[in-house]
Structure formats: C-alpha cells, structure tokens
C-alpha cells in the first residue's frame, strides 16, 4: 500500500515545494483560532517531510469563500482550500478528483454520506473536512416545571409548546427562518415531514405534496397558534435563537453541537432528542459538511496527496473535531469517538450521522437556490402566507437555475 500513498503520476516538478492552503476559522476567539490547529499540524508534517513547506492562511467564514474565489479568478489559486462549497470549481475542471490525490485507504475511510455529498456527476471532488448534525434541544427546567417529556411527534411538539406558552414561556418553539440560515431550519422540517429539497435522483422537489403539508402544518399549528414567540420567523436568525435559548427563554429549537457549550456556559440544563416526525421519529436528520478541495493550477499533485493523507489521519481528524465540537468525517475517527467516554456529549449527534441527509452541494445551482430559500421561505408560514405558492415559486426558480447550469 505504501506505493499508493500519494496516488500515482508526476508531481509536476522536483525539489523543494511550498503548498498553499486557505482555510476557514472555526474558532470564536484568537485563543482557539483554527490558525493554531493548522500551525501545530503543519509543524508535525514538515518535520517528517523536509522537502515540503505548507503555508496556511486562515480567514473568517464571512470572508474565506470570497477570498478563494478572488484568488482563482486572478489566476493565483491556492493548492488547497478548505471552505463551504466545491461545485463551482469542480464544474470548471479546476479541481483534482479525490482519487487523484488521496491514498485508497484514506478515501475509503470517509463516512459514506459525506463521500456521496462530495460527488459531482458521480465523481468525488469535495473531500469532507468537518461535519455536524442537528437535534431537537429542549430546556429541562421549563419542561420539568410544566410536567412535560421530550416530544417524538409533531402533535406532541405542538402540545408541549402550548403547555409552555400557558406557563408564560417567551418562545415555546424557536423557528429561525430569517436570512442567516433559513435553509437549514427549513430542510430539517422538510425531512421530518418525509421529503426534502431533492428527490431520489437529485432533482429539485421543493413543491412536493409532503413539503407543502409540512409548511402548512408549521403555519397553522405552530406560528398561527402563537407558539413561536414574539419575533416573526422570517425575522428570527439562528444566532438570535441560540442566544435566547442560552438565556433560558426558549422551550425547544433545532440545534447543533455549538449550542451545547453556549447553553452550558449560561447554566441552562438541556436535553437533546432526534427531531420529531409527522407521526413518529423523523426518518432522517439534516447533516452539514464543509469541504477540502485540491486545485490543479500549480500541479503539486503528489505533495498535496501526501499532505492530505496526513491531514486525514485519525489523530488529526479527532484533534480538530474535539477542539471545535464537530463530528469526525472518517469512519475510523468516528468509531474511536463513539467508544471514548470523554466524547459522550457528541455521541447523540454522532448517532444521527449515518442517516443524515446533506444539502445538494454537488449541484452548482444550489448556492442560488439556497439564497432564494433564505429570502422567501419565512413568508410562507406568516399569517397571510401561502406555503403552496411560495414553494411553487421556489421550485420554478430552482428548475430554471438548474437548467441554466446544465444539471
């Protein structure tokens, strides 16, 4: 297997090589900036690979995608980028296939759902770097005071929300459909209603009967009954919903691992359960992944491959996941985390990963469709909203965007 570690073919040059990686910052302060993670990793790598230097530039999420786009447009693409989406670059033939840079054992170690999401036209270009799933968080103190247990169905969720409202809870269920991340909350609900953004062959199905029924239920049974708090869902952003939960003002909301620390730091006792479905547990939860990609521009294929094999070693995958409360993207690291009692807080999220569904990130049209969802979906559940009409409009635009992208 040693001979396959860096793939096959020419390195595109000899002698000393400097690889450039642009990466996103997962930290929330200078103290835990991702720059520290990469500096330590690179130091270890360079010690074992004296012919290769690695320069890592870390940017905030608000800047990193734009920074890489500008670099590529200026003809100065980095060797690797760790950002939010890969499809545009893959569609233009600018990326190495995963199999061209990764060793066979490393490529085979990715969690299956993440490998599939990294494919365009059945070829993997996006290498998952960080993953997360969603669970329903609930405030244990508020639930206990109302004599409630965690819901497993929509009707139980609505009943719990009514009981919380009767006891004066400010936001029985937080429904953040504001522009920050409406596509995430929407997808979680559509999955729990039995459908999602695309059908089994990857075609957009936004206005399916199940999706219309899901948004109609949200409009009539939650928002219409005053169970989502004083701020209209269309104006409530995820960050504000999380902050309200950490203040003890929210009974229930969908959340990812970051919320655990936020709530715990504020002394909020919480429980976490899988998202309830229309008539039982949801068949799937929403998964989210961020991506590593390798650009062809500089031709350092062998060196990129050797470095990425090191990045995806179990030790390094676990170190990153534990530092930022994220899920490992490899099966080996996931298995290790599942067996370690020190990682017990992430276990419920890890359990959801095998059945998770991700955004259709392999479609170049997704960025535009996602932006459209963020702008419009909140109106669908407003008092004068029209779920069928809104989803129909979104579907029409998605189909046109898809066709224009040749997908």
């Amino acid at each position: 297997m040693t001979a396959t570690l860096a793939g096959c073919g020419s390195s595109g040059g000899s002698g000393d090589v400097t690889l450039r990686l642009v990466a996103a910052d997962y930290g929330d302060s200078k103290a835990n900036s991702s720059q520290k993670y990469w500096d330590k990793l690179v130091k270890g790598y360079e010690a074992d690979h004296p012919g290769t230097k690695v320069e890592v530039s870390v940017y905030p999420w608000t800047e990193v995608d734009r920074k890489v786009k500008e670099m590529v447009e200026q003809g100065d693409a980095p060797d690797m980028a760790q950002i939010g989406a890969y499809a545009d670059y893959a569609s233009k033939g600018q990326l190495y296939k995963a199999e061209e840079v990764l060793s066979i054992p490393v490529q085979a170690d990715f969690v299956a759902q993440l490998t599939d999401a990294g494919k365009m036209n059945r070829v993997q270009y996006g290498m998952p770097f960080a993953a997360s799933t969603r669970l329903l968080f609930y405030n244990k103190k508020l639930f206990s005071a109302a004599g409630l247990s965690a819901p497993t169905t929509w009707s139980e969720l609505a009943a719990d929300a009514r009981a919380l409202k009767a006891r004066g809870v400010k936001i029985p269920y937080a429904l953040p459909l504001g522009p920050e991340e409406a596509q995430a909350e929407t997808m979680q609900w559509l999955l729990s209603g039995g459908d999602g953004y695309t059908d089994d062959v990857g075609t957009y199905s936004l206005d399916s009967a199940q999706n219309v029924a899901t948004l109609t239920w949200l409009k009539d049974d939650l928002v219409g009954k005053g169970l989502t708090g004083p701020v209209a869902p269309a104006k409530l952003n995820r960050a504000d919903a999380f902050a309200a939960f950490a203040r003890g003002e929210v009974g229930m909301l969908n959340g990812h691992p970051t919320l655990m620390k936020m709530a715990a730091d504020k002394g909020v006792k919480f429980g976490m359960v899988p998202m309830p479905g229309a008539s039982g547990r949801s068949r799937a939860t929403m998964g989210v992944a961020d991506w590593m990609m390798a650009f062809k521009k500089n031709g350092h294929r062998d060196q990129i491959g050797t470095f990425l094999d090191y990045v995806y070693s179990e030790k390094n995958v676990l170190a990153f996941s534990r530092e930022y409360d994220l899920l490992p993207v490899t099966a080996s690291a996931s298995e290790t985390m599942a067996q370690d009692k020190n990682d017990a807080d992430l276990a419920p999220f890890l359990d959801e990963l095998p059945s998770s569904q991700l955004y259709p990130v392999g479609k170049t049209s997704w960025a535009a469709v996602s932006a459209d969802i963020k702008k419009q979906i909140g109106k669908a559940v407003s008092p004068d909203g029209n779920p069928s009409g809104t989803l129909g409009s979104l579907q029409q635009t998605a189909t046109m965007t898809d066709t224009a992208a040749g997908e």
Side-chain angles (χ1 to χ4, degrees):
M1 296 301 288
T2 305
T4 70
L5 277 178
C8 55
S10 168
S11 67
S14 58
D16 289 351
V17 166
T18 297
L19 299 176
R20 292 183 300 149
L21 165 63
V22 175
D25 194 354
Y26 290 80
D28 55 15
S29 68
K30 192 172 182 179
N32 71 342
S33 167
S34 293
Q35 190 71 56
K36 287 191 172 184
Y37 170 80
W38 285 112
D39 287 349
K40 182 178 180 181
L41 183 148
V42 165
K43 184 177 181 181
Y45 177 78
E46 290 180 347
D48 294 333
H49 300 82
T52 304
K53 298 291 183 184
V54 184
E55 296 177 354
V56 183
S57 301
V58 172
Y59 295 91
W61 272 109
T62 52
E63 300 176 20
V64 68
D65 289 285
R66 175 178 54 81
K67 183 66 177 177
V68 172
K69 184 172 184 285
E70 290 173 352
M71 292 174 72
V72 173
E73 289 174 347
Q74 293 165 5
D76 188 33
D79 295 285
M80 295 160 285
Q82 185 273 297
I83 51 178
Y86 64 85
D88 278 351
Y89 303 116
S91 70
K92 295 172 184 172
Q94 295 169 329
L95 301 180
Y96 285 116
K97 300 173 185 176
E99 66 184 24
E100 291 178 314
V101 290
L102 295 177
S103 67
I104 292 172
V106 169
Q107 189 180 5
D109 197 25
F110 289 132
V111 174
Q113 279 79 358
L114 304 180
T115 293
D116 289 343
K119 292 179 179 179
M120 171 177 278
N121 299 324
R122 300 181 183 176
V123 177
Q124 185 181 2
Y125 296 94
M127 294 165 273
F129 182 76
S132 180
T133 55
R134 303 293 167 98
L135 292 170
L136 182 75
F137 282 66
Y138 64 97
N139 184 308
K140 282 187 171 182
K141 181 179 179 181
L142 298 179
F143 265 62
S144 177
L148 303 174
S149 57
T152 58
T153 64
W154 287 0
S155 59
E156 290 177 3
L157 186 149
D160 287 350
R162 289 194 297 271
L164 292 169
K165 182 183 180 183
R167 294 186 63 86
V169 174
K170 186 176 181 180
I171 308 173
Y173 179 86
L175 184 66
L177 295 180
E180 180 189 6
E181 208 192 26
Q183 83 285 1
E185 182 73 13
T186 301
M187 182 172 172
Q188 184 64 73
W189 277 99
L190 297 186
L191 289 172
S192 72
D195 204 351
Y197 286 138
T198 57
D199 61 21
D200 292 339
V201 295
T203 302
Y204 286 115
S205 57
L206 292 161
D207 61 348
S208 70
Q210 294 107 306
N211 289 346
V212 171
T214 296
L215 289 194
T216 301
W217 186 87
L218 280 173
K219 176 181 180 292
D220 295 342
D221 290 64
L222 280 190
V223 182
K225 298 286 174 56
L227 302 177
T228 54
V231 178
K235 295 184 178 180
L236 181 64
N237 281 322
R238 184 196 68 184
D240 295 328
F242 277 19
F245 186 82
R247 292 194 300 268
E249 299 171 356
V250 175
M252 298 171 278
L253 83 169
N254 282 315
H256 51 65
T258 304
L259 183 56
M260 293 190 299
K261 186 174 187 303
M262 285 181 64
D265 286 348
K266 297 290 186 178
V268 172
K269 303 293 185 185
F270 59 89
M272 302 178 298
V273 294
M275 178 67 179
S279 56
R281 178 177 170 175
S282 175
R283 68 181 176 87
T285 190
M286 189 186 75
V288 177
D290 300 322
W291 303 97
M292 177 74 76
M293 60 213 71
F295 286 90
K296 295 178 180 178
K297 175 73 175 176
N298 303 313
H300 299 143
R301 188 173 85 175
D302 285 359
Q303 292 90 346
I304 291 171
T306 306
F307 177 67
L308 289 179
D309 276 358
Y310 184 79
V311 168
Y312 285 109
S313 67
E314 182 178 322
K315 175 188 75 172
N316 288 325
V317 171
L318 282 170
F320 180 84
S321 302
R322 286 166 172 159
E323 176 65 29
Y324 299 107
D325 281 334
L326 291 163
L327 304 182
V329 296
T330 61
S332 58
S334 295
E335 186 176 340
T336 298
M337 181 175 277
Q339 295 172 354
D340 192 329
K341 65 180 186 298
N342 293 322
D343 295 314
D345 57 343
L346 285 172
F349 295 94
L350 204 57
D351 291 343
E352 294 295 296
L353 192 57
S355 65
S356 65
Q357 290 192 18
L358 283 78
Y359 299 131
V361 289
K363 299 167 79 68
T364 56
S365 57
W366 170 241
V369 172
S370 175
D372 204 21
I373 291 169
K374 290 180 183 180
K375 289 178 185 175
Q376 295 196 49
I377 204 69
K379 293 182 284 188
V381 300
S382 64
D384 58 350
N386 180 350
S388 178
T390 299
L391 288 172
S393 174
L394 287 168
Q395 175 66 31
Q396 185 176 14
T397 304
T399 301
M400 291 171 57
T401 308
D402 221 19
T403 302
E407 295 175 330

